[in-house]
Amino acid sequence: MTDARTAILGRLRAAAGKDVPPAEDFTVVSPRGWTAEHRLERLRRMMEAVHTEFLDCRGQDWLGPLRDWLIQEGVPGLIYAPATAIGRRLAAEWSGGVPLISYDKAMAEWKEELFAQSAAGITGTRGGIAETGSLILWTDADQPRSLSLVPPLHIALLDVNSLYDTFWQAMREQKWAAGMPTNLLLISGPSKTADIEQTLAYGVHGPKRLLVILVDQC
Amino acid sequence: MAAAEFRDAATRALADPQLRANFRRAMDGLMTKRAAMFADRDEWTALRSLGAAVRARSLLQLPELLERLEAKLTENGVHVHWAETVDQGNAIFKQILSRHDATRLVKGKSMVSEEIGLNHALEADGIEVIEADLGEYIIQLDHEKPSHIIMPAIHKNKQQIARLFSQKIKDAAYTEDVDRLTGLARQVLRRKFAEADAGVSGVNVAVAETGTLVLVENEGNGRMCTTIPKLHIAVMGLEKVVERLEEVPPVLSLLTRSATAQPITTYVNMITGPRRPGEKDGPEEVHLVILDNGRSRVFADPQLRNTLRCIRCGACMNHCPVYTRVGGHAYPGVYPGPIGKILTPQILGMDVAGDLPHASSLCNACVEVCPVEIPIASLLVRLRGEAIRPEPGAVKGAGSHADPTEAWTWRGWALAYRVPALYRLTTFLLTRFGWALPGRMPLLKEWTSVRSRPRFASQTLHELARREKVSNQ
């Protein structure tokens, strides 16, 4: 449709004005000057308001508490990404009780199983945003997109030292524009909908539950 | 769609108490929640100015930004297509799908896909299109169009949805429990996501700098449609582009808070290309269809161009006294409410939708809440003028509502106000013999069809003033 392209751009160019673009003042989306405590408190409050669950593992290793939590909740298995830092620790140090399943092949090879049988997936995060209560997820060859999407329970590790005040601050300080992944995600809770009489219901297409594990370092 | 259709549909909607109750309740809730989101007036003013500046800047550089977007997307491995018309848009979809032998589609919510009538066009070719957004899924089951751009099934209550699900979903028991209704849809649609050959999505913002398509959603259906099938086709109106990634946060903040009073949606997807080597999932091919469908004509007029700032938050319809009373189905085209009243006549033509700009009391509520400062009321007035201008103009179908009787009446009115003797004669005649004007005469009959006929005073104001000896100051 080269003709359509030429015609559309031609019409737009013919009409484009020579006005000076208005200035943009980004102060309103800039860092708020919040303390680390306030950032964490706010992120937690915002995310809990939309049914996110938290497991506070600051000052201790997260493997044991996670295992206890999974057993307590009756989660039958945990899918992990073996090439990530979290995946390597799980593979090396997991003490059993809940079976680990390695996401080590293309999705197409086990799509049926993933959709029909998966219970939980664990991922890392690149930080959090306090203002909106959001997790930042990069997906890549090591951390597949479906790991945080298809299983009904998504577990995400969040380093409390990687919190930002605002979305704008996070993208600038992490220099996203210099190289975006295939899929960059902000996740702010479990899947939800209000399409029936504006009544909130959780777990419509994505995960029904989101557990955030707070750690000092991953 | 005929010009009188809005009027007739609105009359029918007004007589439906259930529909009016459903909308009233929903819009009241949305207005209250939105107001709480923007309780800090200074923050609202600053954020809104930034949002308006971002959108205005985008439009000023629109052709350059679209070319940069295309170049960057192509570099990222995304195929870019251009469609001047609805038919071209559908043809592009068909070509891509037939190349992949794709016959099963899942679609995330996209108003542009509604605009081109994608489902209808593809179903005619035997392709199954499943709407995955819960609201869209509900209305697809009932063969309806969205009644709201954000909450497509807002016109239905849960009893109606419960009945629909029990009739249309296999083995579904009747339930009015919202969690169980949602669970039913989840069950059906997860199967569809896993089996689909292709996923279709809209785009909320496209970033020229990085070649990124941004998509906001709460359900995860957008993620499913853009992640699970091997093929992803996105479609957007040509106005959606912004220059830089850092312009995205203010636009999204305004969008989600204005639309549903959420600080952010559950998911913000930033898609920058197909699956890369070594990645285990994600579509192998990503396409973007850029649709014109009359937008470049809207762009040509410096005032009307402001229509294209719209970020489709729906706040204008949530606050519109007309929309709240007649609902979204009364409007021709796919965009109801105030934004539809200015956009639809420009896209479909004044001859088709020229009565829409009149479906407003110009109360300005939409202008006050618009997060990107679109002067909707001024544009409504401008379009009213375009509808009756004596000769064709910038807007498609301009002048099609020109009425000689009305034009001559206004000419006479203007003359009477210029010539004092004529003014005095006219007012004298109207006060003495105005009662004799037949109620069924042109221009008067519309008024008298639903109201009693206005009665002229027996003396003019001037005469009364003279009698009371009010000095002429």
Side-chain angles (χ1 to χ4, degrees):
Chain A
M1 296 275 169
T2 323
D3 294 345
R5 180 186 187 279
T6 313
I8 293 168
L9 287 173
R11 277 197 297 275
L12 294 178
R13 266 193 220 99
K18 293 189 174 54
D19 301 351
V20 181
E24 294 171 321
D25 179 356
F26 285 94
T27 313
V28 67
V29 291
S30 299
R32 300 277 190 260
W34 289 333
T35 62
E37 289 74 33
H38 181 74
R39 273 196 293 273
L40 180 59
E41 182 275 322
R42 186 179 167 108
L43 174 123
R44 199 168 164 158
R45 178 162 46 85
M46 303 285 290
M47 294 192 77
E48 280 174 343
V50 286
H51 289 209
T52 306
E53 296 159 74
F54 281 84
L55 190 61
D56 193 344
C57 295
R58 283 178 292 166
Q60 58 177 317
D61 192 16
W62 52 273
L63 281 169
L66 171 62
R67 181 175 165 276
D68 295 344
W69 190 91
L70 290 171
I71 291 169
Q72 185 196 315
E73 297 291 326
V75 178
L78 179 65
I79 308 175
Y80 71 103
T84 60
I86 293 167
R88 281 194 297 274
R89 280 214 59 201
L90 280 166
E93 299 172 45
W94 192 245
S95 52
V98 176
L100 286 183
I101 303 140
S102 173
Y103 200 141
D104 54 4
K105 48 190 174 283
M107 183 189 67
E109 291 174 40
W110 65 315
K111 194 169 167 184
E112 270 305 309
E113 192 187 335
L114 196 62
F115 269 80
Q117 290 164 31
S118 67
I122 185 166
T123 71
T125 58
R126 287 228 179 179
I129 298 167
E131 184 177 48
T132 53
S134 310
L135 307 174
I136 302 164
L137 257 83
W138 285 54
T139 60
D140 51 28
D142 293 339
Q143 185 161 282
R145 295 160 72 158
S146 47
L147 186 56
S148 59
L149 173 63
V150 178
L153 166 63
H154 173 208
I155 299 167
L157 254 71
L158 176 64
D159 182 347
V160 294
N161 302 306
S162 64
L163 301 189
Y164 298 85
D165 291 2
T166 68
F167 181 12
W168 186 78
Q169 179 194 15
M171 73 161 55
R172 283 168 61 94
E173 291 186 12
Q174 293 193 350
K175 299 190 174 22
W176 294 0
M180 294 283 280
T182 316
N183 188 209
L184 199 168
L185 283 159
L186 301 186
I187 297 182
S188 305
S191 154
K192 69 177 187 293
T193 184
D195 275 347
I196 301 178
E197 280 196 359
Q198 291 190 284
T199 308
L200 261 179
Y202 285 86
V204 55
H205 297 308
K208 295 177 174 180
R209 293 175 78 182
L210 171 62
L211 175 73
V212 176
I213 302 179
L214 298 175
V215 294
D216 288 315
Q217 66 269 331
C218 285
Chain B
M1 202 165 282
E5 205 149 309
F6 174 76
R7 187 171 296 226
D8 297 343
T11 308
R12 278 195 303 278
L14 285 170
D16 183 345
Q18 179 68 66
L19 185 83
R20 290 183 61 171
N22 291 356
F23 273 99
R24 180 80 265 170
R25 187 173 35 118
M27 298 306 120
D28 283 349
L30 286 165
M31 285 193 285
T32 311
K33 284 192 281 182
R34 178 201 158 274
M37 267 286 141
F38 292 117
D40 180 343
R41 299 304 291 177
D42 294 341
E43 196 249 5
W44 156 247
T45 310
L47 187 62
R48 187 190 199 201
S49 301
L50 176 55
V54 167
R55 294 301 299 136
R57 282 178 72 96
S58 301
L59 293 178
L60 275 172
Q61 319 168 68
L62 189 58
E64 296 77 30
L65 290 185
L66 284 170
E67 281 185 296
R68 278 180 61 192
L69 176 70
E70 181 189 39
K72 198 69 200 178
L73 281 170
T74 308
E75 191 187 311
N76 297 345
V78 177
H79 304 266
V80 179
H81 310 263
W82 302 75
E84 275 191 279
T85 61
V86 165
D87 290 341
Q88 279 181 15
N90 288 323
I92 292 166
F93 268 91
K94 287 181 186 181
Q95 278 167 18
I96 302 168
L97 293 171
S98 84
R99 218 172 29 245
H100 289 262
D101 288 324
T103 56
R104 292 168 302 181
L105 255 69
V106 282
K107 195 173 104 190
K109 202 179 143 26
S110 152
M111 288 309 296
V112 174
S113 75
E114 299 279 349
E115 187 180 327
I116 64 176
L118 182 68
N119 295 10
H120 190 71
L122 295 181
E123 280 159 4
D125 276 16
I127 295 167
E128 178 192 72
V129 188
I130 300 289
E131 293 285 355
D133 170 83
L134 180 60
E136 292 278 352
Y137 176 69
I138 291 166
I139 58 167
Q140 188 184 32
L141 283 182
D142 218 4
H143 308 289
E144 288 185 306
K145 67 169 194 165
S147 60
H148 190 285
I149 64 170
I150 305 290
M151 288 147 289
I154 197 82
H155 57 288
K156 283 194 180 323
N157 59 28
K158 66 182 173 203
Q159 288 78 15
Q160 293 168 316
I161 295 165
R163 237 180 350 261
L164 183 68
F165 276 22
S166 67
Q167 286 161 4
K168 299 285 174 79
I169 299 177
K170 200 166 161 276
D171 301 330
Y174 182 91
T175 173
E176 290 179 11
D177 182 89
V178 173
D179 285 321
R180 283 171 59 195
L181 288 169
T182 305
L184 275 171
R186 177 182 174 100
Q187 223 175 352
V188 174
L189 289 166
R190 275 179 86 90
R191 231 13 299 128
K192 296 291 181 188
F193 290 129
E195 290 167 358
D197 302 312
V200 177
S201 77
V203 177
N204 292 103
V205 189
V207 185
E209 175 186 30
T210 53
T212 300
L213 307 177
V214 184
L215 186 63
V216 298
E217 49 133 357
N218 286 312
E219 298 184 358
N221 64 312
R223 287 190 69 192
M224 286 283 185
C225 291
T226 60
T227 299
I228 305 299
K230 281 157 97 172
L231 174 64
H232 168 209
I233 311 175
V235 57
M236 71 171 205
L238 55 74
E239 77 277 19
K240 288 285 181 199
V241 65
V242 300
E243 185 185 4
R244 302 182 316 283
L245 195 64
E246 68 164 341
E247 293 176 309
V248 171
V251 172
L252 292 194
S253 181
L254 287 165
L255 173 60
T256 62
R257 289 158 80 185
S258 299
T260 49
Q262 298 182 93
I264 196 164
T265 48
T266 302
Y267 302 111
V268 175
N269 298 282
M270 284 165 267
I271 298 162
T272 312
R275 183 189 303 195
R276 290 177 191 163
E279 292 186 348
K280 296 180 180 64
D281 56 8
E284 286 158 21
E285 251 184 67
V286 178
H287 296 257
L288 174 68
V289 181
I290 300 175
L291 178 73
D292 182 344
N293 193 26
R295 287 168 173 79
S296 55
R297 187 167 183 162
V298 176
F299 183 78
D301 184 283
Q303 187 192 12
L304 296 172
R305 176 180 301 176
N306 291 314
T307 313
L308 300 178
R309 281 191 195 177
C310 180
I311 57 172
R312 303 283 190 269
C313 71
C316 60
M317 56 200 75
N318 298 346
H319 290 75
C320 178
V322 176
Y323 175 86
T324 303
R325 282 164 181 80
V326 303
H329 285 158
Y331 296 79
V334 294
Y335 305 99
I339 184 62
K341 289 175 214 175
I342 56 172
L343 183 60
T344 305
Q346 296 186 72
I347 288 181
L348 298 181
M350 300 303 298
D351 44 339
V352 179
D355 60 344
L356 276 184
H358 293 275
S360 166
S361 62
L362 301 180
C363 74
N364 227 41
C366 51
V367 180
E368 282 175 23
V369 297
C370 177
V372 289
E373 298 177 353
I374 301 175
I376 300 175
S378 317
L379 297 178
L380 286 168
V381 173
R382 164 77 190 275
L383 290 171
R384 288 178 183 184
E386 290 291 328
I388 55 151
R389 59 185 290 146
E391 71 283 338
V395 182
K396 186 177 174 188
S400 54
H401 285 237
D403 174 359
T405 316
E406 190 180 341
W408 279 108
T409 305
W410 285 116
R411 253 172 245 166
W413 184 88
L415 190 67
Y417 272 77
R418 276 204 307 277
V419 183
L422 188 57
Y423 179 86
R424 281 193 293 275
L425 178 66
T426 310
T427 52
F428 178 83
L429 289 174
L430 283 175
T431 46
R432 269 63 181 185
F433 304 106
W435 58 268
L437 291 175
R440 300 184 57 78
M441 71 179 279
L443 302 181
L444 200 54
K445 71 174 178 220
E446 291 233 30
W447 180 273
T448 55
S449 67
V450 287
R451 299 172 190 85
S452 54
R453 203 158 69 86
R455 282 176 56 191
F456 290 98
S458 59
Q459 287 181 303
T460 69
L461 186 63
H462 285 214
E463 288 168 332
L464 285 171
R466 258 198 306 280
R467 202 183 65 197
E468 299 292 328
K469 300 192 183 3
V470 179
S471 60
N472 188 8
Q473 295 177 350

